[in-house]
Amino acid sequence: MFSGVWMASTTAWAQYAGHISSFVADANTGQVLSAQDADLERYPASLTKLMTLYLAFRALDEDKISLDQLVPISIHAASMEPSKLGLRPGNYITVEQAILALVTKSANDAACALGELLGGGSEEAFGQIMTQQARALGMDHTTFKNASGLPDPEQVTTARDLATLTRHIIQDFPDNYHYFGVPYFVFHGRVINNHDPMLKIYPGADGLKTGYTASAGHNLVTSAQRGDVRLIGVVLGAHNNPQRSSIMANILDDGFAREGAPVVTHPLVLARASSSYPAHTVRHRRKTVRHLASPNASEVAEASLSTRHRKARKVRILHSSSVNAKVRLIPLNTRTVKKSAHRNKG
């Protein structure tokens, strides 16, 4: 567990969208490098899916499920609000497709279906399993009620608890951590882009997850590595995506400086704003980073690489037009890949 003094717990319904909670720790040692209201109970939004994925990875390690195992889509799962793949009742996806849908699009229908599979057919039962696992990991201020993070007044966590969970994901499942860095995957012929802006704008970042609801604000968990130093950062309750990315970049920069890691320049130029919370403005090179406004009901698509950069990169594409997903390396260019629509009707 991370060291530190716990603050008095708030009530489960006390939320402060727009008020920042943040936390940075060394992933290897657990040393806390910075914390602001890190024990204030907050709504996790789609950061909930980190626990859904933790339990999926554990089930894979214990051979209780397999990557190519079929996940049935129930009426309940298909009814989830966006962001979603648009899965239909009675259809199936594979466990690996569900994992990829969670780490890229943050699909609520896929999260619910995966939770039902792991919970013996019941998302409610899976919520209890999630909470039990949280307690076992030392997440004493976290309660889960669903697999996706869609609003529930009793589903709460803290920045410190999320850092604890993230550290366990990295340490307990090193062979599965790479999923968080997948830039996109192809589902039924449509490209599903990863929502995480830090993968594109922050040197050394290789995952993990974004989250947004109106009551939670804009949330983000990031891990980044420079040399032998790996940090975990958590930002909860930001006003918008640019502010969230800016704060995360700033607290990680400060953390790496404290750890004596190499200084690396990046597109974000950070400036502290005079306010009661550490708001930041973002001035960026528009040809390198583009923030997309108007978040949807559950998750936010955020930054994209320039067309020239995307053409030049070779990326790992998972073609998932059938339940037997195949993996191959191909050049990413406009001839081979077209941007997907916001929703996939599956």
Side-chain angles (χ1 to χ4, degrees), residues 104-292:
T104 57
K105 190 177 179 61
S106 195
N108 294 321
D109 48 3
C112 180
L114 186 58
E116 288 177 336
L117 176 71
L118 298 172
S122 168
E123 187 183 19
E124 181 179 359
F126 183 63
Q128 296 173 359
I129 295 171
M130 295 170 76
T131 302
Q132 291 170 0
Q133 184 63 61
R135 295 293 179 273
L137 297 179
M139 301 169 64
D140 296 331
H141 288 231
T142 297
T143 299
F144 292 111
K145 291 294 183 178
N146 60 55
S148 64
L150 285 170
D152 186 302
E154 296 184 53
Q155 183 152 282
V156 294
T157 190
T158 68
R160 190 186 306 272
D161 278 5
L162 288 169
T164 298
L165 173 58
T166 301
R167 189 181 180 205
H168 277 283
I169 290 174
I170 294 169
Q171 294 184 341
D172 296 351
F173 309 111
D175 293 338
N176 292 313
Y177 178 71
H178 69 90
Y179 281 112
F180 293 102
V182 171
Y184 59 84
F185 84 111
V186 180
F187 183 78
H188 291 300
R190 294 187 179 274
V191 178
I192 309 297
N193 292 305
N194 196 318
H195 287 176
D196 187 350
M198 303 305 287
L199 294 173
K200 307 175 181 72
I201 65 176
Y202 193 80
D206 51 16
L208 297 158
K209 192 78 191 66
T210 62
Y212 168 80
T213 63
S215 54
H218 296 255
N219 298 342
L220 179 62
V221 172
T222 298
S223 182
Q225 185 164 357
R226 293 182 187 172
D228 295 330
V229 178
R230 174 176 287 280
L231 299 185
I232 294 166
V234 181
V235 174
L236 304 179
H239 282 290
N240 51 50
N241 298 332
Q243 185 200 41
R244 181 179 67 183
S245 296
S246 175
I247 293 172
M248 180 63 77
N250 196 29
I251 62 177
L252 288 177
D253 281 349
D254 289 346
F256 280 121
R258 288 172 181 265
E259 295 283 82
V263 176
V264 179
T265 59
H266 50 80
L268 293 179
V269 179
L270 307 177
R272 294 187 181 277
S274 57
S275 180
S276 59
Y277 55 87
H280 303 271
T281 59
V282 181
R283 284 176 266 168
H284 52 76
R285 300 168 187 167
R286 294 184 179 180
K287 291 183 180 180
T288 305
V289 182
R290 179 168 55 89
H291 291 283
L292 305 181

